[in-house]
């Protein structure tokens, strides 16, 4: 590693920090499938590893690269985004108060109200666009943890991360930001005062829809936190496989290029949809009509991400018809891959979802923008 602090993110991601494999001199990252590591005659592990559940050499470069591009000190890979998120929850004592926003990833919300409740986690839901309500709640319940996601899936509500971090820290809470949607190309929450960044690596970091992975990135000077997270990962055992860690890193090396192409496509598509007579509402942080557009222009750099939600005239039935009639854009779950996918989000979120039943969620890929626009235009006219 040379001059890493002076290098631009683009260079760091492209070269995966420029490490050279010690055994082979290869520039390209290597896979180490071995699960057991040698003990020397004094019964010590020379490489600091004993078994693959506590650490794996294939993790190191992917973790260091994610930490570098997020501006963190350390990073821990997990078997999925959910495994990373629940590792944070498992750091809490039973009976802890946790403050969550009114909009965030539904899978985690479901976990909190079912399994989290059995762990006796007490959830407090607050509208983070109202800082005085947030501060009043944090002051009242003194949470151990404040969770934030910006832009939040699937409403793409943008939250002022610095304000949330400042309010939470005033009352001693740990702040975790889910940065899956923005990615570090667009927003770096640790630089805004957040303590831990969460990623579902299954989305943009990997970017090819061929890996399920998660990551926690820890801010500066939090070695005690790192020790606790490493122990939880090892003890609960939700570790990533070496091949998946390698695939994640392989995909990640083009993150900056993909995000730029995706943001560019998404902006064109959002503008097209907003101008279309049959489209009732478009939610995209890059549009001036987005309720937090001004904040988005400050907090999001180099673009506004690849996620658009929209509603068409004719309600739920028309939404289903549209999702079934695009040809290039296929109907599928998840987001962040190379190819564009669309889905009606409500059906995925369970019975207590607050998402409108006609909300279409579009993950914009890197296809030609004109093909995607023509595809949507044809589907809208059907
Ligand atoms: C998908 C997702 C997760 C969960 O990640 P998995 O890798 O699917 O477990 C968490 N947060 C957000 C915002 C997501 O989109």
């Amino acid at each position: 590693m040379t001059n890493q602090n002076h290098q631009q993110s683009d260079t760091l991601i492209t070269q995966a920090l420029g490490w050279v494999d010690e055994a082979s001199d290869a520039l390209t990252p290597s896979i180490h499938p071995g699960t057991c590591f040698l003990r020397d005659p004094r019964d010590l592990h020379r490489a600091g590893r004993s078994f693959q559940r506590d650490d794996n050499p294939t993790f190191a470069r992917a973790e260091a690269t994610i930490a570098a591009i997020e501006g963190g000190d350390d990073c821990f890979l997990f078997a999925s985004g959910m495994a990373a998120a629940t590792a944070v929850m498992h750091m809490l004592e039973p009976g802890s108060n946790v403050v969550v926003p009114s909009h965030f990833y539904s899978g985690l919300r479901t976990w909190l109200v079912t399994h989290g409740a059995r762990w006796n986690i007490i959830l407090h839901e607050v509208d983070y666009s109202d800082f005085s309500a947030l501060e009043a709640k944090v002051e009242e319940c003194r949470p151990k943890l404040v969770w934030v996601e910006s832009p939040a899936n699937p409403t793409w509500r943008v939250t002022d991360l610095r304000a949330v971090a400042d309010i939470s820290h005033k009352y001693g809470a740990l702040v975790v930001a889910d940065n899956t949607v923005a990615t570090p190309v667009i927003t770096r929450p640790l630089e805004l005062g957040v303590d831990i960044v969460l990623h579902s690596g299954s989305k943009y970091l990997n970017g090819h829809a061929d890996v399920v992975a998660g990551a926690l990135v820890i801010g500066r000077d939090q070695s005690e936190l790192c020790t606790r997270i490493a122990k939880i990962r090892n003890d609960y055992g939700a570790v990533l496989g070496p091949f998946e860690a390698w695939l994640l890193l392989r995909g990640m090396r083009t993150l900056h290029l993909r995000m730029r192409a995706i943001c560019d496509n998404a902006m064109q598509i959002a503008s097209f949809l907003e101008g279309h007579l049959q489209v009732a509402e478009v939610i995209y942080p890059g549009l001036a009509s987005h309720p937090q557009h001004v904040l988005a222009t400050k907090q999001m750099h180099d673009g506004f991400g690849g996620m658009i939600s929209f509603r068409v005239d004719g309600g739920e039935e028309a939404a289903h018809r549209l999702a079934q009639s695009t040809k290039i854009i296929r109907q599928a779950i998840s987001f962040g891959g190379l190819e564009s996918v669309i889905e009606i989000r409500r059906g995925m979120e369970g019975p207590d979802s607050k998402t409108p039943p006609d909300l279409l969620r579009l993950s914009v890929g890197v296809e030609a923008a004109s093909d995607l626009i023509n595809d949507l235009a044809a589907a809208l006219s059907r």
Side-chain angles (χ1 to χ4, degrees):
M1 265 193 287
T2 49
N3 276 336
Q4 208 193 94
N5 292 338
H6 308 292
Q7 284 176 11
Q8 310 274 325
S9 267
D10 286 8
T11 309
L12 296 173
I13 308 178
T14 305
Q15 300 198 346
L17 307 182
W19 294 7
V20 176
D21 180 62
E22 274 178 31
S24 66
D25 273 353
L27 300 181
T28 310
S30 315
I31 308 180
H32 300 271
T35 55
C36 315
F37 301 90
L38 192 67
R39 285 187 208 207
D40 71 10
R42 287 164 301 147
D43 212 24
L44 297 172
H45 294 100
R46 282 183 299 183
R49 302 182 181 95
S50 65
F51 185 54
Q52 197 180 104
R53 181 154 44 73
D54 64 58
D55 195 11
N56 175 313
T58 316
F59 293 172
R61 197 160 167 181
E63 290 179 333
T65 304
I66 299 172
I69 61 180
E70 282 286 4
D73 257 6
D74 214 339
C75 170
F76 296 87
L77 290 181
F78 284 85
S80 65
M82 279 302 292
T86 54
V88 172
M89 302 305 165
H90 285 128
M91 282 200 296
L92 304 173
E93 292 299 322
S96 296
N97 289 297
V98 171
V99 170
V100 294
S102 37
H103 299 269
F104 68 113
Y105 174 64
S106 67
L108 182 59
R109 189 171 191 287
T110 303
W111 188 92
L112 284 164
V113 300
T114 53
H115 309 283
R118 280 164 47 209
W119 190 253
N120 213 2
I121 285 175
I122 305 155
L123 269 195
H124 303 269
E125 205 172 286
V126 185
D127 180 348
Y128 286 14
S129 59
D130 181 349
F131 293 143
S132 51
L134 176 62
E135 177 149 7
K137 178 55 78 181
V138 173
E139 185 176 11
E140 173 209 318
C141 76
R142 302 292 167 127
K144 285 281 181 291
L145 175 68
V146 172
W147 194 269
V148 57
E149 180 180 321
S150 178
N153 192 355
T155 59
W156 319 123
R157 183 183 277 218
V158 179
T159 298
D160 187 329
L161 296 173
R162 189 180 288 285
V164 170
D166 287 349
I167 291 169
S168 310
H169 288 157
K170 198 165 147 188
Y171 301 95
L174 188 75
V175 186
V176 180
D178 186 335
N179 201 30
T180 300
V181 173
T183 81
V185 175
I186 293 173
T187 303
R188 278 183 291 277
L190 298 176
E191 289 172 1
L192 301 172
V194 162
D195 301 299
I196 299 179
V197 160
L198 171 118
H199 275 284
S200 165
S202 328
K203 316 290 168 56
Y204 291 112
L205 287 191
N206 163 265
H208 294 67
D210 55 11
V211 148
V212 169
L216 293 176
V217 195
I218 321 303
R220 301 273 178 224
D221 305 321
Q222 308 248 34
S223 60
E224 195 253 344
L225 203 52
C226 292
T227 308
R228 283 163 70 199
I229 290 170
K231 180 147 176 57
I232 285 171
R233 184 176 68 177
N234 184 32
D235 293 356
Y236 282 77
V239 284
L240 196 63
F243 185 60
E244 285 71 19
W246 181 85
L247 266 181
L248 173 65
L249 182 58
R250 187 189 208 274
M252 214 161 62
R253 294 173 66 190
T254 55
L255 175 67
H256 53 307
L257 301 176
R258 285 185 280 108
M259 287 317 290
R260 274 177 214 138
I262 284 170
C263 290
D264 195 42
N265 278 357
M267 195 66 224
Q268 292 183 54
I269 292 166
S271 306
F272 159 77
L273 288 171
E274 192 167 51
H276 198 285
L277 285 175
Q278 260 123 351
V279 176
E281 184 187 7
V282 185
I283 312 172
Y284 182 64
L287 294 174
S289 58
H290 187 281
Q292 296 92 37
H293 177 64
V294 175
L295 171 62
T297 58
K298 281 192 229 142
Q299 193 168 274
M300 303 178 82
H301 307 285
D302 287 342
F304 299 93
M307 299 305 298
I308 301 171
S309 288
F310 64 105
R311 299 160 86 180
V312 291
D313 290 341
E316 212 177 325
E317 204 187 305
H320 279 278
R321 211 178 318 124
L322 181 100
Q324 281 151 17
S325 29
T326 51
K327 297 214 153 59
I328 293 173
I329 303 169
R330 260 82 60 87
Q331 194 174 195
I333 196 170
S334 199
F335 63 87
L338 295 175
E339 59 259 274
S340 302
V341 292
I342 195 164
E343 75 172 327
I344 303 201
R345 194 57 199 155
R346 171 69 170 263
M348 293 296 119
E349 292 191 343
D352 65 345
S353 164
K354 285 177 282 182
T355 303
D358 62 339
L359 193 82
L360 287 149
R361 189 184 79 171
L362 175 62
S363 169
V364 176
V366 298
E367 302 96 334
S370 56
D371 281 341
L372 300 174
I373 288 171
N374 290 339
D375 194 29
L376 286 164
L380 280 162
S381 70
R382 260 172 219 132

